[in-house]
Amino acid sequence: MFSPTEKLTILPKVDGTIVIFDVETNGIARKLRGHTRQIQALSWSRDGRFLLSSSQDWKCILWDLQDGARLRSVRFEAPVYIAELHPTNHLLFVASLFEDQPRLVDISGLTPVKRHLPSAPRRSRVDGIDQNEKQAAQDAKHSTCVTIFTADGHHIITGTNRGWLNIIDTESCEIVHSIKLCSGFIIFLRLTASGRDMVSNASDRVIRTVPIPDLSRVQAQNDSLKIEVEHKFQDVVNRLSWNHVTFSSTGEYVAASTYMNHDIYVWERSHGSLVKILEGPKEELGIVEWHPHRPFVAACGLETGRIYLWSIITPQRWSALAPDFAEVEENVEYIEREDEFDIHPIEEIHKRRLDLEDEAVDVLTMDPIKSEVEEDSFSMPVLLDIGDSESEDEIVAVGPGTMRRKSPGEGREWMNGAESEESGEDRLATKKSTANGTLKSQSKTRKR
């Protein structure tokens, strides 16, 4: 997934390592180690400085990307399905657990405060009249599979294993509205950047887009709230299942990776039609993400762990070279102006230069750069030295266009102490004998 600053993308590994790549250079920016099992979900803070990771090792870790330190580590009683940070408070997150009730966790203090969230849907007054013990027993079997915050963070949207969608108030942790979305269990939920639309992936092989109403005016236990499905996307012919779904940067398109397949489907929301099938490599693709501002899609291969990018070829804009530059389709005869190549006297040229020097040049004022990223966004320090990444299988350059894998002990001679160091005279003698074509065995003195 991409960071809010759009400069970084993140890739979790099976062994629990989190690798952060730089989008511009495609190089490794940082590696985070703290989990012992597979990473389940990742969540960025709004400014891009903090990262929350959840894993099958029953832990959630909050990382500070300023120096890669672990700020908080919370352990649960079960593996974590998914965890997400609060949009404005990075010390508050919600987590859904395996065969357990979801938790709203406050980590502002030294001891984390865990609050239970309900999973059973809230029945309306009409349904509540005929509710019997059998209905109550069925509601008790509900478990939450996915939890996300709304755009303002005042509500939590959860999906259950019975296809119900619950809207929970963050302050009171009570359900304000419930709706039956599908017959299977809800696998994944994702909101657009504005928070007005939501896409869901369920076990019935149908992708649904749902407009989210304004929840700021919703009172407790409001039965008048209406939530309806806008579009349903599915492959009727092949009956494909979907691994992951996402919105485009503007929310106009929906992209999904396929189960046991290597294609990515792209639908248009205005008409609800399939517009493109991106053919990928010969391996199944897992998580698929759309860049926040640029026109390209990234997906992760499940077999090799590689990140694949799909983009469009942008035509060159020759008119950007100069304001009066005209782009033509074929060669035309250039007609020069009457005074274009006139020879001016040296005195006049010198006078023009002096006039230009009299103008005051402001070298202190910095004009703001036009960008869609927030001004208070965080820029993570990138590890320029590839050896600082502490990887056991790093690829290093040994010459122009020549790469090789670093040996397991290379660059770690300090672990053996002074015994592994050779004297400068021995290294110089070995270099000279190699240049002459004869390598003589020499005694190597070691420092004790």
Side-chain angles (χ1 to χ4, degrees), residues 194-228:
S194 61
R196 299 178 181 177
D197 299 282
M198 182 184 68
V199 63
S200 67
N201 182 22
S203 60
D204 58 357
R205 304 178 182 181
V206 179
I207 298 174
R208 297 170 175 85
T209 56
V210 181
I212 300 298
D214 186 9
L215 300 177
S216 60
R217 302 178 181 179
V218 176
Q219 299 178 357
Q221 299 182 357
N222 190 352
D223 297 334
S224 62
L225 185 64
K226 299 296 182 182
I227 298 179
E228 298 179 355

Side-chain angles (χ1 to χ4, degrees), residues 1-43:
M1 62 184 301
F2 292 98
S3 65
T5 58
E6 77 185 40
K7 298 179 181 179
L8 303 171
T9 182
I10 195 165
L11 174 66
K13 298 177 66 176
V14 180
D15 60 354
T17 305
I18 303 173
V19 185
I20 304 177
F21 291 90
D22 184 75
V23 177
E24 298 294 337
T25 62
N26 293 335
I28 298 176
R30 189 178 293 276
K31 289 190 176 183
L32 305 175
R33 289 183 172 89
H35 293 286
T36 57
R37 293 189 179 182
Q38 180 178 344
I39 303 295
Q40 287 293 108
L42 298 166
S43 177

Side-chain angles (χ1 to χ4, degrees), residues 387-407:
D388 294 341
S389 60
E390 299 180 358
S391 175
E392 66 279 358
D393 54 354
E394 206 61 74
I395 297 178
V396 296
V398 296
T402 305
M403 308 292 291
R404 69 168 176 84
R405 288 192 179 275
K406 183 188 296 184
S407 59

